[in-house]
Amino acid sequence: MFLDFSNKSTWLNQVNPSFKLLLFVFLFVGLLFIDNIHFYLYFTIGLLIIYFLMTGFPIKWLLIFISPFFIIFLSSFISMALFGEGETLWYRFGMIHITQESFFRGIHLGLRGIIFGFLGLIFALTTKPVMFFYSTMQQYRLKPKLAYSFMAAIRLLPMVAEEVYVLKQALKVRGVIFPKGISGFYQRLKYYSVPILAQSIRRAHRIAIAMEAKQFDGNAKRTYYYQSGYSYHDIWFCLLLLGGIMICFFLQNNFTFLPVERVIN
Amino acid sequence: MKNKLTLTDILVTVVIAVVFSVIYKIWGPLYNTLSIFGLHIDQLVYGMWFMAATVAFLIIRKPGVALLAELAAAQGEFLFGGQWGISLLLYGLVQGLGCELIFALFRYKNYQIFVLCLAAIGATIGSLWLDIYYGYITELVWWNLALLILFRTAGAIVITGFFAYYLVKALEKTGVTNLVRPVNETHYKALDEEAR
C-alpha cells in the first residue's frame, strides 16, 4: 500500500481486504473496553509476531515503519502519567503528581496507541488499495461512484505532490519569507493550499465529467475488471485473531507480574 | 433530488479530502512533538483534523459532504499508514458526524462563520466523546481535563472555523467553486437577464 514497495506477497495479502478491515474495526471497538494492562502487553507481543513474520517485508523496512512508535507511546503516556487521578502517590512536584494508578494507566494508553498503530500498519502493508475498493463494492455493496472516486483520488496524489514541489520552488524564487507565529502559519497555509486545492478541484471536476460519461456512476450490478471474493484464508485469519485473543485472556488470568491489573476503577 | 450527491460532488469531495489527508499525515509528528510538553499544548493544533469537513462543505454545500470528507480524509490517512492506524476511521466518523449535525441544524443553508465555529465545536465534542473511551480523559485531574477541553475547542474554532472560512473565501476568488456548487435562484435570474 505504501507507495509501491514490491514485497513478497504473503497469505495475509490473500485475505479479503474489506473483511480484514471489518475484523480490525471490531477488534478496535472491543479493545476499547478492555482495561487489563496484562492483556495489552501480551496482545502487543502477539501483534509483533504477526508484524515481523507475516507481512513479508524486509526487516529493515519494518523497523523503519515502527520507528515513530516510541513517540506515539510517549505522547499517549505522558499526560496521563503526570496528571492522572490516583491514590498511591509516588512523586509530587508542583502541579505534577505521579501515582501508581496513573503511571500504569499511562503505560496502558501508550500500548493502546502502539497496538492500533500495528493494526493499521499490518493492514496497510498487506492490502492493495485498488483491491480494497473493489472488494467493498463487490462484497459490501459500496456504491461504485464512491469507490471509483476514492481510487481516482488516490491516483491524483502524485500530481499533487509534484505541484507542492513546484510551488515550493516558485515561492523560493520569488523570495517569499513567512513571518513567525500564527499569522505566518496562516499565510503559509493559504499560499500552499489555495493553489493546490484550486488545481485539484479543477482536475477532479474534469475527471468526474469524463467518468460520468463512461457510466462510472452506475449501480453495483456492473461488471468488474478485478474479481474479489472470500477464500479459506479468511477463515485462517479469523482463527488467528480469535486464537490470539484467547491466548491473551489465558495469559492475563494466569501470568500477572505488575502491581496494577485494571487501569480504571 | 436536487441535493443528491453526484459523482462530480463525490469525486471533488474525496479529492479535497485526500489533499487534506496528506496534511493530516504531516500533522501527526508535529502534534506528537508538541504533546511531549505534557500540558496539552498539542490540543491547540488538534482542530486541523476537522478542517476537511468544513472546507469541503463550504465548497460543495450539500448534505452529507462534511461527513464524507472527514471519513475520506481519515481513510486516506489510514491508507498512507497514519500512525494512529485503525482508530483514525472511527475518529473520522464521529468528527464528521459532529460537523454534519450542526450543518443539518441550519438545514444546510447557512454558510456564515459562526456556523463553522459551531461545527468546529460539534467535531470537538465528537472527538472528546471517543476520547473518554480511547484516552480515559475523564481519569485526568479536573484542571488538566478542563485545560484539554479548552485548548482543543479554542484551536478547533480558530483552525476549523476561521481558517477554513477564509481559505474558502480565497478559493472563491479563483473561480473554482463555481464549477462545483449547485446553481441557485440568482444564477437563473442572471440567465433571464441575458435572454432579455
Side-chain angles (χ1 to χ4, degrees), chain A residues 216-257:
Chain A
F216 274 98
D217 52 349
N219 57 18
K221 278 188 191 148
R222 54 177 296 129
T223 52
Y224 297 99
Y225 185 73
Y226 295 110
Q227 290 297 329
S228 117
Y230 296 111
S231 64
Y232 62 91
H233 294 291
D234 300 306
I235 302 169
W236 284 129
F237 190 61
C238 240
L239 288 178
L240 175 74
L241 289 183
L242 277 177
I245 290 168
M246 266 159 27
I247 291 172
C248 287
F249 271 122
F250 173 76
L251 289 172
Q252 160 210 314
N253 290 332
N254 294 298
F255 299 95
T256 52
F257 48 90

Side-chain angles (χ1 to χ4, degrees), chain A residues 69-81:
Chain A
F69 278 18
F70 179 68
I71 300 179
I72 298 177
F73 181 86
L74 213 59
S75 76
S76 325
F77 167 75
I78 208 139
S79 292
M80 185 51 79

Side-chain angles (χ1 to χ4, degrees), chain A residues 54-240:
Chain A
M54 300 183 194
T55 49
F57 275 76
I59 199 141
K60 199 173 76 187
W61 284 353
L62 290 176
L63 287 174
I64 292 172
F65 293 149
I66 58 169
S67 54
F69 278 18
F70 179 68
I71 300 179
I72 298 177
F73 181 86
L74 213 59
S75 76
S76 325
F77 167 75
I78 208 139
S79 292
M80 185 51 79
L82 299 187
F83 307 110
E85 300 263 18
E87 307 276 302
T88 327
L89 190 73
W90 278 0
Y91 180 75
R92 178 188 278 281
F93 179 78
M95 291 188 295
I96 296 173
H97 72 123
I98 304 177
T99 63
Q100 190 182 30
E101 287 86 350
S102 70
F103 181 80
F104 284 110
R105 202 182 298 125
I107 290 195
H108 188 76
L109 290 180
L111 283 178
R112 181 176 274 179
I114 287 180
I115 285 175
F116 294 148
F118 265 131
L119 288 176
L121 272 178
I122 290 171
F123 183 85
L125 291 175
T126 59
T127 312
K128 289 201 173 69
V130 170
M131 287 316 288
F132 170 67
F133 290 116
Y134 269 91
S135 79
T136 52
M137 276 190 286
Q138 291 173 30
Q139 270 84 50
Y140 295 93
R141 302 267 157 224
L142 187 74
K143 280 194 177 137
K145 59 180 174 185
L146 272 168
Y148 283 115
S149 295
F150 272 93
M151 284 190 262
I154 290 175
R155 282 282 178 196
L156 296 182
L157 261 187
M159 289 185 219
V160 174
E162 197 183 321
E163 268 169 16
V164 173
Y165 180 70
V166 171
L167 202 60
K168 211 174 196 171
Q169 291 188 319
L171 289 174
K172 206 185 222 170
V173 167
R174 287 167 177 74
V176 176
I177 296 165
F178 294 107
K180 284 210 162 92
I182 197 157
S183 66
F185 168 72
Y186 177 63
Q187 203 180 355
R188 195 185 297 262
L189 188 73
K190 202 167 150 182
Y191 276 29
Y192 277 98
S193 53
V194 171
I196 298 279
L197 279 175
Q199 236 1 52
S200 302
I201 292 169
R202 282 198 197 101
R203 199 180 288 129
H205 184 246
R206 281 200 303 271
I207 292 173
I209 289 171
M211 283 169 73
E212 267 171 16
K214 299 221 170 198
Q215 299 298 312
F216 274 98
D217 52 349
N219 57 18
K221 278 188 191 148
R222 54 177 296 129
T223 52
Y224 297 99
Y225 185 73
Y226 295 110
Q227 290 297 329
S228 117
Y230 296 111
S231 64
Y232 62 91
H233 294 291
D234 300 306
I235 302 169
W236 284 129
F237 190 61
C238 240
L239 288 178
L240 175 74

